[in-house]
Amino acid sequence: MPSINARLRDSLTVLLGAALLQGCSSLSGQAISGDAEQNKPSANDAITTATDARAATAAPEANPYLLAQADYLPQIPAAVIANYQQALSAMRAQQWSQARSLLNQVIDVAPQLSGAHLNLALIAIEQQQWDLAASFADSAIRANSGNPYAHQTRGFIASKQGHFVAAEQHYQQALSLWPHYPTAHLNLAILYELYRGELLQAHQHYLAYLALEPSNSQAQRWLASVEIKIKRAGLTLPPRDATASAAKESR
């Protein structure tokens, strides 16, 4: 089994390519997963138009938050959208000061946009400013408590700070808002396995994640590892299909 640090490095790489955080009150899309440090949120795959947002809600696993955003986006002034998109471009280029300035301009005009606060949290995460990141993520949740990306990110930050109960609560909240949120399932699996020793629950959430992201070979290896742990602990390994369904239904 890979070490915690090795798993962390892999999961951070996954998340850095993952997505921009959105707010139904915001303009972008996804967040965290991984190991002890879990996947770091990133500025990619932005959803920046109502058409894109509606397309993202077409599948059975659709995110209700994005569906609401599809109707909300046309109400946002064009100048705010332009600044937001420039901020995302700056984040992709790792031009953190410029991105921060543009996001603050967005917030000055439209403080209700949770995604702007959340992307400030991502910048603070990138710079390992954890207390500042927590403050920005909290602001994102205050702007829109229905933003699953905000709760997922806040859970990631809490985990980094060693606040594992709070991390679990935020991951659970993210899943209550979007039961098919892959990275929230993955983060819960890692949390349960590595920090709580709750192997059967970890198994459930690894399976739920892989049902949504079946091509992730790293997660497949982590699942195999936790199954070995379950057998060594003398526990009964649940059937995979039933376990994955239980994890998603429990949300």
Side-chain angles (χ1 to χ4, degrees):
M1 173 184 177
S3 68
I4 289 177
N5 286 338
R7 192 186 293 192
L8 264 180
R9 286 193 300 271
D10 292 337
S11 61
L12 286 171
T13 299
V14 170
L15 193 72
L16 280 169
L20 276 167
L21 294 156
Q22 296 216 56
C24 163
S25 337
S26 158
L27 307 171
S28 56
Q30 156 143 347
I32 303 152
S33 132
D35 212 56
E37 290 185 324
Q38 295 159 321
N39 289 331
K40 206 189 305 181
S42 158
N44 288 316
D45 305 330
I47 297 171
T48 54
T49 68
T51 299
D52 289 341
R54 290 192 182 93
T57 61
E61 298 82 10
N63 182 346
Y65 164 79
L66 292 185
L67 184 60
Q69 184 182 27
D71 296 326
Y72 181 87
L73 283 172
Q75 304 174 29
I76 300 174
V80 173
I81 293 177
N83 278 343
Y84 196 95
Q85 291 179 329
Q86 289 178 39
L88 302 187
S89 296
M91 289 178 70
R92 293 188 188 99
Q94 299 186 13
Q95 296 172 347
W96 308 121
S97 294
Q98 180 182 359
R100 188 183 300 109
S101 176
L102 288 163
L103 290 169
N104 281 325
Q105 290 178 43
V106 170
I107 291 169
D108 286 343
V109 176
Q112 76 277 17
L113 298 184
S114 67
H117 298 280
L118 200 46
N119 278 296
L120 285 174
L122 296 189
I123 294 171
I125 287 171
E126 182 64 31
Q127 298 176 336
Q128 299 187 22
Q129 297 174 326
W130 300 107
D131 290 342
L132 184 60
S135 178
F136 285 133
D138 287 340
S139 294
I141 292 170
R142 285 194 296 271
N144 183 1
S145 61
N147 184 346
Y149 303 115
H151 287 285
Q152 166 73 346
T153 302
R154 190 62 183 89
F156 167 69
I157 295 164
S159 181
K160 280 291 296 179
Q161 294 175 315
H163 302 153
F164 301 120
V165 172
E168 179 185 10
Q169 291 171 345
H170 282 289
Y171 294 148
Q172 295 277 14
Q173 182 62 23
L175 286 170
S176 75
L177 294 166
W178 181 20
H180 298 282
Y181 192 171
T183 51
H185 280 295
L186 184 57
N187 276 338
L188 262 180
I190 291 162
L191 184 70
Y192 285 139
E193 179 189 0
L194 298 181
Y195 299 113
R196 304 287 289 273
E198 297 178 16
L199 300 178
L200 294 177
Q201 287 183 278
H203 187 256
Q204 285 185 353
H205 287 283
Y206 279 129
L207 284 176
Y209 172 79
L210 285 167
L212 298 165
E213 300 287 343
S215 63
N216 189 321
S217 60
Q218 184 63 275
Q220 291 169 5
R221 289 191 288 273
W222 295 344
L223 173 63
S225 174
V226 84
E227 289 182 340
I228 292 171
K229 290 182 180 181
I230 289 170
K231 292 176 182 177
R232 287 177 177 171
L235 301 172
T236 300
L237 189 64
R240 287 194 171 194
D241 290 344
T243 304
S245 297
K248 286 189 279 189
E249 289 172 3
S250 69
R251 304 278 64 83

